[in-house]
Amino acid sequence: MVACRMVEKMQAHIPVLLLEAVEGLVQSPNGIYIDATFGRGSHSAAILKKLSAQGRLIAFDKDPEAIAHANQTIKDSRFSIHHASFANLNAVLTRLNCLGQVEGILFDLGVSSPQLDTPERGFSFVREGRLDMRMDTSQGTDAMQWLASIAEQDLADVLWQYGEEKYARRIARAIVTARATAPITTTLQLAEVVTRAVPVKNYQDKHVATRSFQAIRIAVNQELADLEAALPQALSALKVGGRFAVISFHSLEDRIVKQFVRLHEKGVELPRGLPIKHTHAFGGQLKSVGKAIKPSPAELNLNPRARSAILRIAEKQS
């Protein structure tokens, strides 16, 4: 039995910042839009409601279960879905002949409630399941294989960087010691190892394995690398005046988005002393649309999993 186990309730998927994201994204009902993370389709359904008969929505998802759900539930000639990571955004759009013509792109990052609440997917630290954690179960290395081969120092680095886990070295040492005796193959085995490695009292309202599971999931799915690859592609996919909106749940994700927008807002820096009035001879390619948006108290009351969410919207200027 894992010590200090917190109750994690099963819940239907509740979209986060749905109204704010869709209202900020959809400016033209006749345009082409991208839902880069279909999930269970709540954002897609809301976008489709705002489109005219001439509008078009192209969705992406790594998860074969999300693809199957989309094919079963959305019967709309304006909609199509592709089994692909958003890191391959421009390759798909090039095939569809709409690169540079997109009005809006939505990224809803992180793990979805159905993934978290399905034990066999391996995302939950309070339900017994095979230690998988892959968003795309059709390919790649799962968490069990990843944990079996990673070096202790590399594991500690992942736990520290992606999970911001202050006991990263202690947890990494415990995992390496445990796997030397027997493979770690299930979620509860891993949660037990983590729990025994650290002082439970220092985690207050969080399960002690929360940060470790988060970090391992991010590493297994290369989530930050995919985001860093996708943002420049989103910029080239958009037409002038088009927007992208990103809902993130992790400080590292939000930092990547914020820094990307700031970089492309600055424009071209010119040397001092040139005979021009402005520090920037050319404006940036992006402009932030309003301030970062967080869930309201009412939304948090309805969906506590939204507590770390933050929405940023930017518009292409040139």
Side-chain angles (χ1 to χ4, degrees), residues 55-173:
R56 183 178 176 189
L57 178 62
I58 303 166
F60 290 69
D61 209 291
K62 286 182 175 183
D63 190 342
E65 292 183 10
I67 303 299
H69 182 80
N71 290 330
Q72 291 168 5
T73 59
I74 299 187
K75 309 296 182 182
D76 192 317
S77 61
R78 301 171 299 167
F79 175 82
S80 64
I81 189 164
H82 300 266
H83 182 206
S85 166
F86 53 61
N88 299 317
L89 180 69
N90 281 0
V92 174
L93 296 183
T94 298
R95 291 200 304 269
L96 297 175
N97 295 316
C98 56
L99 191 64
Q101 301 175 42
V102 176
E103 290 279 359
I105 305 174
L106 174 63
F107 298 90
D108 181 13
L109 306 177
V111 63
S112 69
S113 293
Q115 290 170 328
L116 189 63
D117 290 333
T118 304
E120 55 267 27
R121 297 301 300 271
F123 291 106
S124 175
F125 42 75
V126 298
R127 297 190 183 92
E128 181 74 2
R130 185 179 182 278
L131 195 58
D132 193 316
M133 293 196 192
R134 289 173 299 166
M135 291 180 178
D136 186 349
T137 53
S138 68
Q139 62 180 343
T141 301
D142 63 23
M144 180 175 64
Q145 297 169 310
W146 186 85
L147 274 179
S149 59
I150 189 170
E152 181 179 336
Q153 184 57 55
D154 291 339
L155 176 56
D157 289 344
V158 165
L159 297 175
W160 171 253
Q161 292 172 12
Y162 297 167
E164 299 174 316
E165 172 55 71
K166 62 182 178 181
Y167 295 108
R169 290 183 180 178
R170 191 183 299 188
I171 292 170
R173 164 51 35 189

Side-chain angles (χ1 to χ4, degrees), residues 29-47:
N30 299 326
I32 300 171
Y33 291 86
I34 308 294
D35 184 349
T37 46
F38 178 81
R40 287 303 179 267
S42 299
H43 287 107
S44 281
I47 292 171

Side-chain angles (χ1 to χ4, degrees), residues 11 14-17 20 249 294-310:
Q11 65 178 53
I14 303 175
V16 176
L17 293 165
E20 295 87 344
F249 294 83
K294 296 183 178 181
S296 66
E299 180 169 4
L300 291 175
N301 186 56
L302 177 67
N303 182 17
R305 286 179 179 171
R307 62 187 176 274
S308 59
I310 185 166

Side-chain angles (χ1 to χ4, degrees), residues 25 149 208 251 283 285 293 298:
L25 188 73
S149 59
V208 295
S251 60
Q285 283 189 283
I293 302 170

Side-chain angles (χ1 to χ4, degrees), residues 171-193:
I171 292 170
R173 164 51 35 189
I175 289 172
V176 170
T177 300
R179 79 184 186 193
T181 302
I184 301 173
T185 61
T186 73
T187 52
L188 293 191
Q189 275 183 282
L190 177 58
E192 179 71 29
V193 171

Side-chain angles (χ1 to χ4, degrees), residues 260-275:
F260 179 82
V261 173
R262 284 181 176 174
L263 174 65
H264 291 279
E265 277 184 322
K266 289 174 65 177
V268 179
E269 293 279 358
L270 296 178
R272 293 182 179 275
L274 291 183

